Amino acid sequence: MGFYDRHILPRLIGCACGAKPIAKQRAKITPEASGVVLELGFGSGLNLPFYDPGKVTRVIAVEPSEGMVAQAQVAIAASPIPVEVRLEGAESLSVPDQSVDTVLITYTLCTVPDAPGALHAARKALKPGGKLLFCEHGLAPDPKVARFQTRLEPLWSRIAGGCRLTRDAPSLIAAAGFRLTRTETMYLPGTPRWAGFNAWGEALPI
């Protein structure tokens, strides 16, 4: 891992993912988590302030980037909820099967190299009756915007840590063995349309 990936990129991602429109999205979905939560793509801990400490007993924070984990230490120290960090990829989870109540994925599926593999691993980790909560940006429904995303993606992915603009999160979640029980979508205000189409909601394992 080079200097850019270790020191510069985590700060850029942390800044972008902490923008006000994205924070509002986190505030919509994160409070719905309960019990033992498996958060995939923990990053710098931006979801921690939005967890309900009356509902969440523990957060298992999965994050492959040492730089992001280093940034997260302040948020972890301030959290009233115990946080267990696992420096690993979402595709190769070390958590036992059927051991968590909630899986939370926010602005992660765009970057995970093997998104289907990560979702299959998440489904295995969920207890019977558990749920997956998600909030992701991705492929826009407007053909003109989608074409621009496709053209821009190769360059964008190289400078943005592997982020793919054209991933369709709800479709990926459904294909991984989940039933989408609620899905909402919108273009985030104040963001470019090619990066601002969001989908969020809840899914249950089939």
Side-chain angles (χ1 to χ4, degrees), residues 19-100:
K20 188 174 181 180
I22 294 179
K24 287 184 176 181
Q25 292 298 100
R26 296 182 189 278
K28 292 177 183 178
I29 199 72
T30 306
E32 298 182 25
S34 59
V36 177
V37 180
L38 174 64
E39 183 174 338
L40 303 184
F42 182 70
S44 59
L46 293 173
N47 286 325
L48 281 179
F50 301 113
Y51 282 114
D52 183 346
K55 294 165 57 179
V56 175
T57 57
R58 180 165 59 105
V59 174
I60 302 172
V62 173
E63 172 56 51
S65 167
E66 294 181 7
M68 297 305 293
V69 170
Q71 284 193 56
Q73 295 309 306
V74 173
I76 291 171
S79 174
I81 301 168
V83 179
E84 174 190 339
V85 177
R86 300 203 177 196
L87 193 64
E88 60 190 23
E91 308 94 328
S92 53
L93 298 177
S94 61
V95 299
D97 292 352
Q98 298 187 1
S99 62
V100 304

Side-chain angles (χ1 to χ4, degrees), residues 81-131:
I81 301 168
V83 179
E84 174 190 339
V85 177
R86 300 203 177 196
L87 193 64
E88 60 190 23
E91 308 94 328
S92 53
L93 298 177
S94 61
V95 299
D97 292 352
Q98 298 187 1
S99 62
V100 304
D101 301 287
T102 306
V103 172
L104 178 68
I105 307 177
T106 60
Y107 303 102
T108 295
L109 290 179
C110 61
T111 304
V112 174
D114 179 8
L119 289 165
H120 281 292
R123 183 163 58 86
K124 289 175 62 179
L126 278 170
K127 296 176 182 177
K131 62 187 176 184

